[in-house]
Amino acid sequence: MGIKWDEFFVTGDPLIFASQIGIALTLVGALAGLTYFKKWNYLWSEWFTTVDHKKIGIMYILLGVVMFLRGGIDGLMMKGQTAVPENDFLNAQHYNEVFTTHGVIMILFVAMPLLIGLMNFVIPLQIGARDVAFPQLNALSFWLTVSGAALFNISFIIGGSPDAGWTSYFPLAGKEFSPGIGNNFYAVALQIAGAGTLMTGINFVVTVLKMRTKGMTLMKMPMFTWTSFITSIIIVASFPIFTVALALMTFDRTFGTHFFTISGGGMDMLWANLFWLWGHPEVYIVVLPAFGMLSDIISTFARKTLYGYKSMVISIVMISVLSMLVWVHHFFTMGNSAGVNSFFSITTMAIAIPTGVKVFNWLFTMRKGRIKFTTAMLWALAFVPNFVIGGVTGVMLAMAAADYQYHNTLFLVAHFHYVLIPGVVFPIFAGLYFWWPKMFGYMLNEKIGKWHFWLFVVGFNVTFMPMFFLGLDGAVRRAYTYSAETGFGPLMMISAVGSVILAAGFAALVYNIYWSARNAERNIGNDPWDARTLEWATATPVQHYNFASLPEVTKLDAFWHMKKNNELRPLAEDEIEEIHLPSNTWIPIYMGVVFGISGFLLVFEWTIAAGVAALGILAGLAFRSFDYDEGFHVHKDEIFETESKWRKGANKGVKNHVS
Amino acid sequence: MKKSKLFLVSLTSIMAVLLLSGCENNMVVFNPEGPIARQILELINFSIALMLLVTVVVFGLFGFIVWKYRERKDNMDYEPPEEHGSTVLEIIWTVIPIIIIVALTIPTVKTIYAIDEIPKGYENKEPLVINVTSADWKWIFSYPEQGVETVNYVNIPEDRPIDFRLTSAGTMQSFWIPALAGQKYTMAKAETQLYLVADNPGSYVGKNTNFNGQGYAGMEFEVLSQTQKDFDQWIKDVKETAPKMTLEEYEKMLEPSHLGRKTFSNTHLDWVDHSDPHSKNYTNPEMYDRGHGWPGKIFEDKDNYKYKDGNNENSNHENNENMNHKESETEDSHGGDHSGH
């Protein structure tokens, strides 16, 4: 295959060269550090081979935070480039690569891992289960996501980044107009990560249906469990579409077929349809669990049960159905008949109805409550006004005739950032502050948290509000530069300043994580927020078997009622039984690595080598099918010791940490 | 606690000020220069008014509830009531959004249908057909009736419906003249259509909004609306003075590049109709090589114009500066019918 090293690595750009050196140094430093502190064994046995849903959840979150850094730097570079007219910080090609990777990373490698991470950690606890339905599959999902993320991320130093936008519209994304391998990274990396996500979807559908504890009927599930369940169903319904679309894209790009290319009878709009048939539900895949988190957090800090629980459930089901019926609103301008555009206008606007119901239910959950302004609650509160702006502009965009003027402008960009940041990122932050003590046994600092909150929320509004007006003035998205005569300069500059404030907010979060890990108080009991759902009914941080005896549920907000009725009693020694848990396994991480290697070879179009490497996948599957390890039992003594330790201290002599 | 209220109030007022100022400043969407853009603007204004109403109600309710039911030093003992919902209230806030959506749907659907046709009041004027072909990264305007062609600018008579027939020679673009009408995609081997009328003589910006690679940002054109007399005179001048374009020149023009304005006294429609599903491809894959990173295989279709008359030679191969393709790389092109070697 004649490797040409001068083309293998991306060369010629000082920014990228600096990153290459930085990445190499970080890698060497990390490897050296791990070896020096003898942490390899710990990492391998406690984390890399784990099948514990809590650890997998935490690793997902770590992946999401790291990717947030990467996607955020991409965003800052874009804002830096467009801050002034005719800037030459980035050239057109580099800018195209940056906005493409920004979009893909933020949606697929930030929002998804953070949400799936929180789902992983919280859902089994909320339904009173010891694990997810398929723990080893869960680990496999995670390592495939890591594998996809790693493959996608190396593109900018090795081989060249994708540059056709996160939507990768054909014919631009085809070989006719994007030769080189940049866009192969898109097709292959997302395929691998998408397989992981699909398996997560299946896993959580089964987990929620089959693993609920005694008495927890569907209509007694906490809202986060409900939304995650519906999200998992949408994943199962929509990700196969993406899988097929990406496979066809790979054929077009690697083997010269003509599914989407304009030559040889291909149909470019087929890609757009398939992409958005997945891509629009994807928006709800990330937004719905976030809605669920908000519901739980708002009811906790308003000290009230969720208002209109039943209509909340109905509305998320409605949203999930409608989410599959609106994809054409992404290309109202492709020359559909007026009838088609009218139909999709109406279905799209209809989504505002269940969403509006939810907003009012949240407001009325707080009514007559006693609202505590913890950092988690501030994020949940900030969601409402900001998301409403995103929502109403969404309705404006849904009106096809009006969309002819907004389409592909910065108005659209502002809209979806107003939906995705308050609708996904704010709730994720809320969830992190809320569940952090459950994960690690200490809280994130509330004071630094408030800095994080105010900088981020103000920065967000300063960044994206001007874009509405720029769009209405005719500024198009994805343009790397503009002339001074357009008059976009001042608002673009304000927007750039906002992005710096936004970044400072994120920096405050990172500092908070560091500060709290070192300094936060550890004696916080198992229920620091006076919360309502079952995940708070066990130790903090959660012991590896979750619950010594599985709780029984009679009502919504089960834990709240247990507290009120004094049903939380110490566990008697004779009530303890051995607990069966699955063993750690190296197969998931091995599969991740093999998928990564064969994916990498496929990206470079070394198809035979990729095929050979893919035999490793079969080997892993074969090995798994001969794996008769049936797990292990946690001994009674260990359970008794652990349980008496935390139950003794539970909520006694613990400072109230809620300010 | 106070901060959140303060923040809310300031956010609301900033929103309102910006939105209201938006209505009277010079943002192009709010200054339509023709009936189509005006119809769209009416719809936009209507939706802004309704949405502002929604926003104000929700913000007000939100501010009120968060303020009134906040935890204070003196209500620490207050234990909120068990409250599960209210069917009546929930029906109310389901029905109100439905009403709002219906109120938006009716004018939306009407406008969708209306702007698909020649605007009211102009039905008796015969529309001027202009074929628009987008290519990387330029706009080609053909006047089939007049037999002239322009690049990166288009002159139109005022007060007369213009019937744009849109197609693309390669990537997908979006044709947008915000002051005159909304946008439509241009796609190879397909045709979309856009009507517009300009009220007055004047110069307007047109652009591509659909990302199509490196030259995307510069893909703008000028729309010059003239009086009928000036337009006729311009056509006459073009017929007399502009050069004729050859097929070879045209193929060269379709290569990825930025061009200035050009004018011709014939049209490319004599040779090719890009909107025909069976038309040849004028793609030039090797010229899109990014010049960094690992080269991939290039696939070229047998339909490509370069294979015409069995001629495999790409005459433009050597002298294009965008092109970083080297003969030494061809060993990697084993998978496709790579032209030029």
Side-chain angles (χ1 to χ4, degrees):
Chain A
M1 54 187 76
I3 294 179
K4 296 178 285 290
W5 290 104
D6 57 328
E7 283 160 341
F8 187 74
F9 288 105
V10 176
T11 51
D13 187 309
L15 281 173
I16 292 175
F17 185 60
S19 324
Q20 282 165 330
I21 293 174
I23 289 167
L25 289 178
T26 315
L27 266 181
V28 171
L31 296 180
L34 285 171
T35 311
Y36 182 79
F37 292 108
K38 299 195 172 66
K39 290 288 184 193
W40 280 109
N41 200 30
Y42 165 77
L43 264 188
W44 178 258
S45 57
E46 292 292 314
W47 295 93
F48 290 172
T49 59
T50 189
V51 292
D52 182 342
H53 72 94
K54 300 181 286 298
K55 285 182 174 163
I56 291 172
I58 288 167
M59 289 193 289
Y60 262 120
I61 291 168
L62 183 68
L63 173 70
V65 172
V66 171
M67 288 293 111
F68 208 143
L69 213 60
R70 158 80 207 265
I73 289 169
D74 282 347
L76 283 176
M77 286 167 78
M78 286 152 70
K79 284 286 148 200
Q81 165 62 24
T82 56
V84 290
E86 275 150 51
N87 198 2
D88 55 3
F89 167 56
L90 301 176
N91 60 32
Q93 176 59 25
H94 200 164
Y95 187 83
N96 297 347
E97 294 174 7
V98 166
F99 75 67
T100 301
T101 52
H102 171 76
V104 172
I105 286 176
M106 283 302 193
I107 298 274
L108 288 156
F109 298 122
V110 176
M112 296 291 280
L114 284 172
L115 288 166
I116 291 177
L118 284 163
M119 275 162 66
N120 246 298
F121 186 89
V122 176
I123 299 301
L125 294 169
Q126 270 197 343
I127 60 174
R130 292 224 167 88
D131 208 328
V132 294
F134 310 112
Q136 201 177 114
L137 188 73
N138 198 21
L140 179 60
S141 299
F142 171 71
W143 287 110
L144 289 184
T145 307
V146 173
S147 186
L151 191 56
F152 191 82
N153 271 279
I154 57 164
S155 64
F156 87 106
I157 48 167
I158 299 175
S161 290
D163 56 3
W166 90 279
T167 52
S168 272
Y169 268 21
F170 277 81
L172 178 65
K175 272 291 172 80
E176 300 151 302
F177 303 106
S178 296
I181 61 153
N183 284 287
N184 293 2
F185 274 107
Y186 179 97
V188 177
L190 298 197
Q191 188 70 283
I192 294 171
T197 308
L198 181 56
M199 290 191 283
T200 298
I202 295 168
N203 209 342
F204 276 87
V205 170
V206 181
T207 301
V208 171
L209 284 178
K210 304 297 281 186
M211 306 283 284
R212 278 167 292 140
T213 191
K214 208 173 161 193
M216 183 173 278
T217 59
L218 285 178
M219 291 311 278
K220 290 193 183 89
M221 293 197 306
M223 214 17 113
F224 182 41
T225 303
W226 249 117
T227 52
S228 300
F229 175 56
I230 297 292
T231 284
S232 307
I233 293 175
I234 310 179
I235 287 175
V236 175
S238 69
F239 263 77
I241 303 170
F242 197 38
T243 304
V244 170
L246 286 173
L248 299 182
M249 180 191 230
T250 311
F251 291 156
D252 270 15
R253 290 196 55 86
T254 316
F255 304 111
T257 57
H258 297 290
F259 292 104
F260 307 129
T261 50
I262 50 170
S263 51
M267 181 65 194
D268 46 355
M269 283 313 289
L270 176 62
W271 166 264
N273 275 281
L274 289 175
F275 180 86
W276 286 115
L277 253 170
W278 159 79
H280 196 84
E282 166 66 18
V283 176
Y284 292 90
I285 290 170
V286 293
V287 148
L288 284 181
F291 281 178
M293 289 180 203
L294 289 175
S295 303
D296 288 356
I297 289 165
I298 287 176
S299 71
T300 297
F301 294 112
R303 303 179 66 80
K304 279 184 73 206
T305 192
L306 192 65
Y307 198 87
Y309 176 84
K310 213 188 245 173
S311 60
M312 286 301 229
V313 173
I314 296 170
S315 63
I316 51 171
V317 175
M318 286 296 300
I319 290 174
S320 72
V321 173
L322 285 170
S323 77
M324 307 290 293
L325 296 175
V326 300
W327 77 94
V328 172
H329 73 218
H330 295 274
F331 37 92
F332 278 146
T333 62
M334 75 163 274
N336 309 308
S337 70
V340 170
N341 277 355
S342 299
F343 174 82
F344 284 96
S345 273
I346 295 167
T347 53
T348 306
M349 282 192 256
I351 289 189
I353 299 163
T355 314
V357 171
K358 295 180 79 68
V359 170
F360 279 100
N361 277 335
W362 284 318
L363 289 179
F364 272 66
T365 303
M366 292 189 283
R367 195 187 66 140
K368 293 187 189 167
R370 174 153 60 86
I371 304 167
K372 287 178 201 200
F373 295 96
T374 59
T375 308
M377 186 61 168
L378 284 182
W379 285 113
L381 290 175
F383 158 85
V384 176
N386 289 296
F387 188 78
V388 165
I389 297 173
V392 295
T393 50
V395 172
M396 288 166 69
L397 279 157
M399 302 157 73
D403 182 60
Y404 295 167
Q405 291 285 33
Y406 311 133
H407 186 69
N408 275 344
T409 66
L410 290 184
F411 185 91
L412 166 81
V413 177
H415 154 72
F416 69 69
H417 282 88
Y418 261 91
V419 171
L420 286 172
I421 293 178
V424 182
V425 179
F426 288 10
I428 284 171
F429 287 150
L432 287 179
Y433 280 90
F434 186 61
W435 282 302
W436 199 269
K438 201 79 290 202
M439 291 181 213
F440 299 104
Y442 59 87
M443 297 200 179
L444 288 174
N445 184 283
E446 286 281 304
K447 207 169 159 192
I448 306 172
K450 279 171 188 150
W451 274 100
H452 170 208
F453 174 78
W454 287 107
L455 285 170
F456 200 93
V457 172
V458 170
F460 158 72
N461 276 289
V462 177
T463 306
F464 295 103
M465 185 60 75
M467 288 199 195
F468 283 118
F469 303 100
L470 283 164
L472 292 170
D473 200 15
V476 300
R477 74 196 289 203
R478 294 173 170 174
Y480 84 108
T481 193
Y482 53 94
S483 66
E485 298 93 78
T486 54
F488 301 154
L491 283 178
M492 286 286 202
M493 177 53 92
I494 293 175
S495 175
V497 171
S499 68
V500 175
I501 305 173
L502 189 71
F506 184 74
L509 170 69
V510 174
Y511 178 70
N512 199 353
I513 292 174
Y514 165 79
W515 188 94
S516 307
R518 288 179 64 109
N519 302 322
E521 200 190 335
R522 260 54 181 182
N523 179 29
I524 55 166
N526 66 319
D527 179 26
W529 307 121
D530 201 2
R532 312 177 73 85
T533 41
L534 282 182
E535 71 268 28
W536 303 97
T538 184
T540 294
V542 186
Q543 65 279 47
H544 61 116
Y545 51 80
N546 289 4
F547 297 97
S549 72
L550 297 181
E552 208 177 319
V553 173
T554 50
K555 274 191 178 132
L556 190 63
D557 289 343
F559 180 54
W560 179 259
H561 290 288
M562 285 177 193
K563 283 191 287 191
K564 278 199 143 178
N565 305 334
N566 281 323
E567 285 167 14
L568 293 167
R569 55 195 172 80
L571 207 59
E573 200 168 351
D574 58 352
E575 280 177 288
I576 292 173
E577 281 172 18
E578 287 197 335
I579 294 169
H580 177 232
L581 289 175
S583 312
N584 284 4
T585 165
W586 53 269
I587 294 176
I589 187 171
Y590 161 80
M591 291 293 265
V593 170
V594 179
F595 262 97
I597 291 170
S598 50
F600 182 81
L601 296 170
L602 187 59
V603 165
F604 278 76
E605 297 171 357
W606 298 326
T607 41
I608 296 170
V612 173
L615 291 177
I617 299 171
L618 294 178
L621 292 173
F623 194 90
R624 169 74 178 103
S625 64
F626 291 107
D627 178 13
Y628 297 111
D629 186 337
E630 294 192 343
F632 65 98
H633 285 84
V634 187
H635 199 265
K636 276 184 190 176
D637 296 344
E638 189 195 333
I639 299 172
F640 181 71
E641 200 183 318
T642 319
E643 291 298 310
S644 38
K645 213 195 285 168
W646 77 264
R647 278 167 198 261
K648 203 162 54 187
N651 297 321
K652 266 178 240 156
V654 174
K655 214 171 77 193
N656 186 4
H657 285 256
V658 183
S659 56
Chain B
M1 287 97 260
K2 260 182 208 155
K3 276 188 213 158
S4 68
K5 173 86 171 176
L6 195 72
F7 163 69
L8 195 74
V9 171
S10 47
L11 189 70
T12 322
S13 40
I14 290 169
M15 253 293 274
V17 169
L18 284 176
L19 273 176
L20 291 174
S21 63
C23 300
E24 50 195 357
N25 90 352
N26 50 5
M27 286 185 288
V28 60
V29 168
F30 290 98
N31 288 288
E33 299 285 347
I36 298 271
R38 203 172 303 118
Q39 270 174 304
I40 297 177
L41 179 63
E42 277 165 24
L43 186 66
I44 291 175
N45 282 335
F46 176 65
S47 69
I48 288 179
L50 261 183
M51 292 298 108
L52 218 51
L53 185 75
V54 172
T55 312
V56 167
V57 169
V58 177
F59 278 33
L61 195 62
F62 172 77
F64 172 76
I65 288 176
V66 170
W67 183 248
K68 181 156 187 218
Y69 299 104
R70 73 196 189 280
E71 186 175 77
R72 299 182 307 267
K73 288 221 169 67
D74 58 330
N75 74 351
M76 292 302 280
D77 299 330
Y78 167 68
E79 196 53 40
E82 271 288 302
E83 194 187 32
H84 288 275
S86 152
T87 316
V88 180
L89 282 176
E90 283 162 56
I91 288 173
I92 290 175
W93 60 62
T94 311
V95 170
I96 291 176
I98 291 176
I99 294 170
I100 294 174
I101 297 304
V102 171
L104 287 170
T105 300
I106 295 166
T108 302
V109 173
K110 274 188 182 159
T111 315
I112 293 173
Y113 277 90
I115 60 176
D116 243 17
E117 289 165 6
I118 298 174
K120 269 212 185 78
Y122 297 90
E123 295 94 334
N124 48 1
K125 292 193 180 174
E126 200 213 338
L128 171 68
V129 175
I130 301 177
N131 286 56
V132 179
T133 306
S134 57
D136 292 337
W137 292 283
K138 75 251 343 152
W139 292 96
I140 302 163
F141 299 93
S142 322
Y143 298 71
E145 207 178 306
Q146 287 76 10
V148 302
E149 189 155 292
T150 61
V151 176
N152 288 332
Y153 78 101
V154 58
N155 289 4
I156 55 170
E158 60 161 343
D159 266 335
R160 181 174 167 191
I162 313 294
D163 177 358
F164 285 111
R165 303 289 173 92
L166 312 167
T167 190
S168 165
T171 56
M172 190 200 295
Q173 285 90 359
S174 190
F175 177 81
W176 189 33
I177 309 164
L180 298 178
Q183 58 195 297
K184 278 273 171 74
Y185 281 164
T186 65
M187 294 168 285
K189 306 192 179 190
E191 185 174 86
T192 47
Q193 199 203 13
L194 183 77
Y195 283 114
L196 60 78
V197 178
D199 289 335
N200 305 301
S203 165
Y204 311 108
V205 176
K207 52 182 87 177
N208 169 25
T209 75
N210 196 63
F211 174 66
N212 65 336
Q214 282 179 317
Y216 164 67
M219 220 176 137
E220 289 190 352
F221 58 94
E222 188 201 349
V223 186
L224 186 66
S225 164
Q226 301 172 301
T227 59
Q228 186 69 45
K229 211 178 115 213
D230 288 351
F231 179 76
D232 292 339
Q233 183 61 43
W234 173 73
I235 291 287
K236 197 164 157 264
D237 289 349
V238 170
K239 297 291 273 184
E240 280 168 10
T241 59
K244 278 212 182 301
M245 174 174 50
T246 61
L247 173 59
E248 206 176 308
E249 245 178 297
Y250 182 68
E251 285 171 359
K252 176 92 177 124
M253 198 157 82
L254 293 182
E255 290 170 6
S257 62
H258 282 296
L259 297 173
R261 294 177 176 217
K262 284 180 187 290
T263 315
F264 301 99
S265 57
N266 60 339
T267 75
H268 76 269
L269 302 174
D270 299 340
W271 310 301
V272 56
D273 175 7
H274 296 282
S275 67
D276 176 4
H278 303 293
S279 60
K280 278 202 182 298
N281 292 310
Y282 287 78
T283 53
N284 299 282
E286 71 284 0
M287 291 184 181
Y288 289 89
D289 192 338
R290 303 298 188 267
H292 79 262
W294 191 266
K297 284 175 224 156
I298 293 178
F299 302 103
E300 224 169 83
D301 197 73
K302 282 191 286 295
D303 287 348
N304 202 290
Y305 70 103
K306 285 174 193 164
Y307 289 90
K308 193 177 57 174
D309 310 325
N311 175 14
N312 252 11
E313 200 183 332
N314 177 1
S315 57
N316 308 311
H317 193 123
E318 304 302 334
N319 51 12
N320 189 290
E321 57 176 17
N322 276 352
M323 205 192 60
N324 298 286
H325 187 79
K326 291 181 227 92
E327 287 298 316
S328 62
E329 287 165 16
T330 51
E331 65 200 65
D332 276 280
S333 310
H334 50 77
D337 302 317
H338 186 258
S339 76
H341 59 88

